[in-house]
Amino acid sequence: MHLMRLLGSILLLMANCSLEAQQMTCKVSATYVDLPLNLVFNDLSNQCEVQFAYDSYAVRSAKITATFENVALNLALEKILSQHQLSFKEISKTIVIIPEQEFETIAKDSTATAVPAVEQFLIRGEIRSAETNEILPFANVQLYTTSQGTTSNSDGKFAFTIENTKNDSIEISYIGFEPLLIAVSAIKENTYRKYYLEERKSYLPSIIIDAERIKLIQIGPKPSQLILDPNNLAIAQGTGEPDVMRAAQLLPGISATQESSSGLFIRGSASDQTLITLDGFTLYHLDHFFGTFTALNTNAVKTMRLMKGSLEAEYGNRIAGVAEVIGKEGNLKKKSAQIDIGALSIGGVLEGPLDKKGKASFILTGRRAYTDLVFSPTYKGIFNTTYNAAITTSASGNEQTFGGAQDPQFYFGDANVKLTYRPNDKTIFNLSGYTGKDHLFISYADTSDDEVINLTDKKYLDESTWQNAGVGARWNTEWTSKLSTELQAGCSVFKTNFFTRDSTFSPLSQTFEASDFNNEQTSVNDFNLKLLSFYRTKNHLTKTGIQLNNITTERAFGENSPLNSAQSQSGTITSFFIQDEWKIGKHWTLYPGIRVSIYNLTNVKAYPEQRINLMRSNMKGTFTWKFSVSRVHQFIHRIRSQSLYLNNPDYWKLSKDNELPVKNSDQFVAGFIFKKKNFTLDAEAYAKTVNRNSTYLGVYNGYSQTFATDTFNTQGLIVGNGTALGADFLLQYDEGRHHAWAGYSILEAQTRYEELDNEIVPESFADLHEFKIYYEVETKRWDFSLLWVYGSGKPYTPYLGNYYVDLLNGEQRKIPMYGDLNSAQLPAYHRLDAGLSYSFVLGDARGKIALSCYNIYNQRNVRDRQYLIQRFGNEPNDYNVVQREVYMLGVLPSLSIQFKF
């Protein structure tokens, strides 16, 4: 049945033309001894420069023993295939392998009528992995001739109504798996069935199929959507640990020059403007090790769907986009275990079925850093680079914090668990949990000669904890072939405890005496409840729903902290939404929708949001136009606090009248997808506004002297209206073992602030130009990858010097003077990463050794230019403002070992 679907589509898609005579009479010389049939096809393809199309799942157990010396290809095939009741058909320079009993039926169907009948046709089912039986969410399902299609939902289910001939075929594709071609004539209408895809690394290197090649990135059927599986990227371990967010940063439109996994900077928006969810609950703390890599364990992640704006009506509360992470469910066929030993941590995976009927499964992952026990070169390099930004007496930012009286004590850890139960094909229940924590203790005395102007030495004491936890539950049931419902519930908690004390050495007492102190605790509690209903009619799939989101934020300070007033907020967002997927003829698909949110902390209670997406494909499916118009609101914001004296933590704050306005963004996207053989070009241009955008002036609060005292701006926040104009280009190449892509983004993002006389301020996190080039080649045992990233340089605010203000008492006061906000540009960013891995078998275990190197040529990229106050006396004017470079990571090699049982 698998083979019939595949071959029926190929026979009907291609003209009834034969291979050239010289190809079929190509002379074959080979000896095969118990060789798998797919390897035989691979060898014959190389000898005669032909392509084979076949169902690898159906032939994977077939083995061949035969010898040929100068035998014509057609005669060799007859002998080989007759051993397994197979035949072949020559179609447009492709040899199609067909079961003998199905050959006559398929051939008859392909030429039965000159004018095919057009009718409505409903295809339903779910998509799974052939190896583990796990569901595959967000898989592409589309007509082969027009590319009109849909995607499977987070449960791997899909329903697709087509208005086309039965002489067409359906293509099912998923990142990291072989695409499956199925003849429409071989599918019974409105019959629910399961479709199994073979994994890329198991079979693809050995076969050639005349269809779309396996891809590492899957372009979604709607504007600005991309599907990514970080487990299939060999470069994902650049900084010593597998990283989901760094994999996403390889895509155009998402900044890769931040060197931080604390969020995704999408199309000129700050990272807090991107919603990131894991199995239905929101993640606020996304990084380990001060943003060096993500707090999400890649072993627990199945796939991630990225929406760069152009949101569906179901999603809201973030104006930049959504990263929807779906966790693995666990192997439904057998129990298995995995052990990972990395450059910074050790971790493991345990998964398997919970019953004998294949209805329930589990997966448990965990990792814990050993950085508090073993000070590896990788750990020292990362720690020194990241912590130097907090040492306010270092001119070079290159202090070595190890080897002194007390070494830093730092560790991180995280764990994921997910339980899945499917009592039948119509119902599914998931329960997912996550927890992650970072802990730092350091007592460091800066007594080096490399200090900026400073009368005495300083001692830094930091003891801080960051932790995040969440739990999500999902229940989905299909009542009829037309109606299904889904209920989601999620709760997440993010907490920080930040304690710092900077002491100054006293010559009189010969001790360090406390001078600067901060003790701050912050938290975010997020509860989310969503009910969705899906109703399918002839040409429509209508999604309606209601969502309740309650968020509580707190910020408290210790008794001796400079700030001692606690801040607490609690807000509720109730949203109603409806969206339709409307098939218009053979080529058009329209996605109209509306979302209305009711928010309780502002005078304006209702916030309507319109969403329209439109796709148009040509007859051959090689060219697809896409358009999108949308409006989005955002009610919670991360405030990036800064100080000339202390390294303060960020905190989250809800919108409220006279404190912080609600952001809104209007967005327009237009683009196209072009496919030609092994190449895919995805291009999008966009324009968006960000109204009531806010920023924190921090060290540049000299501007705030002109602010009105009766507004929220007295807190150091200013608000303005911004725009972002840009374009993203992604060129993919996938051919057998070789995968490559090149991404380019051009972006101009800026905001006008009323408090600055409508001065145009470029966004500090946006490069005008950004290039990303990735290449990967895989063999049976080895994987090799290269990544090069270039950014033209981010804006920053320059320090110009000091000016003096005459006071009424006749004295003068020295005031730092800065240039216009973000009016200067940092040096260009660039780096080269490489990865090499070797897979092996050791008894019943499979293993992999991975060697990676981040920033191979040790480029000294500048993260920021930081300004520090250094005092040299007790008078008010006895200080200097010192500028120093804050650098990013240099060359960083790492080694990891993995075992699967």
Side-chain angles (χ1 to χ4, degrees), residues 741-786:
W741 72 76
Y744 169 66
S745 299
I746 182 170
L747 166 66
E748 184 179 80
Q750 56 192 20
T751 302
R752 291 179 180 268
Y753 294 99
E754 296 177 3
E755 292 82 1
L756 304 181
D757 297 326
N758 287 319
E759 173 187 331
I760 297 177
V761 179
E763 294 294 353
S764 60
F765 38 76
D767 291 279
L768 178 60
H769 303 284
E770 190 168 292
F771 293 90
K772 302 160 190 175
I773 300 175
Y774 179 80
Y775 170 72
E776 176 181 332
V777 60
E778 56 182 14
T779 65
K780 186 176 182 180
R781 298 287 187 184
W782 294 91
D783 278 359
F784 174 73
S785 59
L786 280 174

Side-chain angles (χ1 to χ4, degrees), residues 134-155:
E134 278 194 274
I135 60 97
L136 301 179
F138 312 138
N140 267 349
V141 183
Q142 61 186 30
L143 281 170
Y144 193 80
T145 56
T146 66
S147 293
Q148 187 185 55
T150 187
T151 59
S152 62
N153 64 13
S154 56
D155 296 319

